[in-house]
Amino acid sequence: VSNSKGNFNWIVGAYFYKQDTKNEFIGGFGNNLLTRLGLPAGFFVFSEGLQKAESYAAFANLSYRFMPNWKINLGARYNDEKK
């Protein structure tokens, strides 16, 4: 980061994010509820999911004040994401 005392200012940075998640669901219905609805008894569900995500980024912003009330900005960002 620049010191912001002059006409030229800048900032640069980087970012990294990683996430691994596992989801599980186990469910079922008892005999009483299912038979009252006219469905076969013993209904059971199992579900499992795995998610992975990674993200990398780099950024930069430059500004130049060329008059007391006027400045120009230039910025850029690069991002790479995998899911």
Side-chain angles (χ1 to χ4, degrees), residues 49-70:
L50 180 64
Q51 286 184 314
K52 293 185 176 194
E54 282 188 9
S55 179
Y56 304 87
F59 62 90
N61 189 64
L62 310 169
S63 67
Y64 179 72
R65 184 172 304 277
F66 58 93
M67 294 181 71
N69 294 323
W70 291 86

Side-chain angles (χ1 to χ4, degrees), residues 69-83:
N69 294 323
W70 291 86
K71 71 177 176 178
I72 188 166
N73 289 316
L74 175 65
R77 178 183 172 96
Y78 171 77
N79 189 57
D80 183 24
E81 187 170 326
K82 296 175 186 174
K83 287 186 176 186

Side-chain angles (χ1 to χ4, degrees), residues 15-75:
Y15 174 82
F16 172 73
Y17 172 78
K18 182 176 180 177
Q19 179 182 21
D20 294 324
T21 58
K22 183 177 181 181
N23 302 309
E24 293 181 352
F25 172 76
I26 299 172
F29 296 96
N31 292 340
N32 291 340
L33 176 62
L34 293 173
T35 53
R36 288 182 188 185
L37 296 174
L39 300 171
F43 182 77
F44 179 77
V45 175
F46 175 76
S47 176
E48 181 178 72
L50 180 64
Q51 286 184 314
K52 293 185 176 194
E54 282 188 9
S55 179
Y56 304 87
F59 62 90
N61 189 64
L62 310 169
S63 67
Y64 179 72
R65 184 172 304 277
F66 58 93
M67 294 181 71
N69 294 323
W70 291 86
K71 71 177 176 178
I72 188 166
N73 289 316
L74 175 65

